[in-house]
């Protein structure tokens, strides 16, 4: 999609570097030809083509971001058309409804996805697991690493489910926002990152719909009818 | 241990990078740590400064205490087992802790062997004072390494020595030719394939935190500037005058480690730091960092 004969410069992707799996995302993106930049302050968002919110501890990230107003600034950029990809804690931060939000307190998040999510829904580290998942558009499964992962419990109508595990969405897209409950940055397979860079590339082609809503909609049960609990 | 366990266990430590892990002895302290932005808490019965002051044998914490702390917070909970005490580790795994620290801060149970960590599903972090020690712990199954420092002193000089030693030895390995790595492995007393991997990649295959004597935001930021992935703060927070504010300040300084303006701002008005003990004044038998090999 990029760096080819089209003459388009390599996209510049900001990786929010408050805490967590920052280097792993940068290496995955750079291996695909993108340039990357650490983002810790609102001013670091200038000139970016896309942003990654990595995995880590969401309770820690909201507090680190609050001091500088990073998340409200990022939310505005996203609503103005900046694509974003969140993994694990990053997905939690991007989700409108966090079902067990006490530990996140009143600190600002980046609530752009019409979903409801539960933190640590599988349990502690002993419940972490690796599983193959089938991703829309990919002919072979992706090995997905779930570490103290959240679960998506409800999704709005604008949310497209790109992969599921156990009947729950684990990779989703809503307009210019992509999010995963697993960690594609922990395996050598870069296909999920390539999907995000493709989303970033659509901006230049004028094909992209921001796809975000302002109203809270009731949403639908994420679990498929008849799927096991 | 299943085939994917090392990936999952190293992966959790990767998610803690850039963060601060705080020692806590009660559920209330655990909540304060979480609210200050800690990425994990270390549940223990006495912080190292008290272990020093009170003496005696230091052991794994009471399971009730660990349960209470797991119940109190949503961030990962770590707990300490004595070096070589594999049954304490079995108990901690049974309690469902997220990480076990096989720690020199407790009294060693075995002066020859460390725990065979490959036999567990739960991940382990271990202390190291040099690269060889770090690689031996990784070979035994540790999925995270921390410097030992000199716990319970508030004196950062030993943590400094250990992180400089480990990172310096990694840089030196990178300058060696392929045939020199065989002797390097012999000298490090570590497997050759692991030594070769470290030489090639220029870093440990697992996350490297710093621990032992970190007491101020500037201490934490210095460790990050040197190349640590994150910091453990033991006695430095809850033995200080204003734990909540100091905890928040150390968290901010660890993220904004390369921004002296931020470090200056968060360092203001923190009240008294822990009084501390100079490591130079500690007689050798009382130095914890010399436990483990």
């Amino acid at each position: 999609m990029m760096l080819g004969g089209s003459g388009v410069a390599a996209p510049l992707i900001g990786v929010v570097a408050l805490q967590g799996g920052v280097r792993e995302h940068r290496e995955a993106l750079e291996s695909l030809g993108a340039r990357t930049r650490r983002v810790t302050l609102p001013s670091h968002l200038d000139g970016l083509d896309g942003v990654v919110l990595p995995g880590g501890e969401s309770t820690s990230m909201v507090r680190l971001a609050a001091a500088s107003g990073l998340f409200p600034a990022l939310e505005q950029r996203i609503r103005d058309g900046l694509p974003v990809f969140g993994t694990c804690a990053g997905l939690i931060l991007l989700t409108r409804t966090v079902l067990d939000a006490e530990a996140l307190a009143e600190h600002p998040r980046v609530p752009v996805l019409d979903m409801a999510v539960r933190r640590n829904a599988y349990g502690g580290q002993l419940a972490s697991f690796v599983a193959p998942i089938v991703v829309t558009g990919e002919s072979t499964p992706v090995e997905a690493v779930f570490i103290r992962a959240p679960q998506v419990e409800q999704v709005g109508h604008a949310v497209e489910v790109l992969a599921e595990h156990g009947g729950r969405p684990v990779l989703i897209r809503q307009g210019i926002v992509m999010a995963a409950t697993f960690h594609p940055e922990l395996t050598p397979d870069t296909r999920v990152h390539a999907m995000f860079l493709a989303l970033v590339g659509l901006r230049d082609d004028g094909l992209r719909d921001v796809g975000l809503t302002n109203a809270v909609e009731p949403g639908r049960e994420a679990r498929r009818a008849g799927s096991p609990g | 241990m299943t085939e994917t366990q090392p990936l999952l266990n190293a992966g959790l430590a990767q998610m803690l990078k850039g963060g601060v892990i705080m020692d806590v002895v009660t559920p209330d302290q655990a909540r304060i740590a979480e609210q200050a932005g800690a990425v994990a808490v270390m549940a223990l019965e006495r912080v190292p400064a008290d272990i020093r002051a009170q003496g005696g044998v230091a052991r794994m914490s009471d399971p009730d205490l660990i349960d209470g702390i797991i119940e109190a917070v949503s961030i990962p909970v770590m707990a300490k087992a004595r070096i070589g005490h594999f049954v304490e580790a079995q108990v901690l795994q049974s309690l469902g802790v997220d990480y076990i620290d096989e720690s020199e801060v407790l009294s060693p149970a075995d002066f020859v062997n460390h725990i065979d960590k490959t036999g567990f599903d739960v991940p382990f972090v271990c202390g190291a004072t040099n690269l060889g020690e770090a690689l031996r712990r990784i070979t035994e199954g540790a999925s995270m390494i921390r410097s030992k420092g000199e716990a319970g002193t508030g004196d950062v000089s030993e943590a400094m020595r250990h992180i400089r030693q480990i990172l310096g030895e990694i840089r030196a390995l990178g300058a060696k030719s392929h045939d020199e790595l065989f002797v390097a492995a012999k000298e490090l007393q570590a497997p050759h394939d692991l030594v070769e991997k470290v030489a090639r990649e220029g870093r440990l295959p697992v996350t490297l935190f710093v621990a032992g004597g970190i007491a101020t935001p500037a201490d934490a930021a210095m460790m990050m500037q040197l190349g640590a992935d994150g910091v453990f703060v033991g006695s430095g927070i809850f033995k200080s005058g204003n734990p909540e504010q100091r905890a928040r300040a150390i968290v901010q300084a660890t993220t904004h480690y390369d921004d002296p303006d931020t470090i200056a701002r968060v360092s203001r008005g923190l009240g008294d730091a822990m009084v501390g003990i100079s490591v130079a004044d500690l007689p050798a038998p009382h130095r914890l960092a010399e436990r483990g090999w």
Side-chain angles (χ1 to χ4, degrees), chain A residues 7-24:
Chain A
V8 178
L12 178 60
I13 309 297
V15 180
V16 174
L18 298 169
Q19 182 276 311
V22 176
R23 189 193 70 225
E24 294 79 0

Side-chain angles (χ1 to χ4, degrees), chain B residues 20 214-225 231 233 250 253-254 257:
Chain B
V20 181
I214 314 288
T216 69
D219 288 348
M222 177 168 69
M223 294 304 162
M224 296 301 288
Q225 285 196 24
V231 298
V233 185
I250 293 175
T254 301
Y257 63 87

Side-chain angles (χ1 to χ4, degrees), chain A residues 1-2 125 191 223 226:
Chain A
M1 45 136 316
M2 32 166 230
Q125 174 63 4
R191 285 179 290 171
R223 191 184 301 259

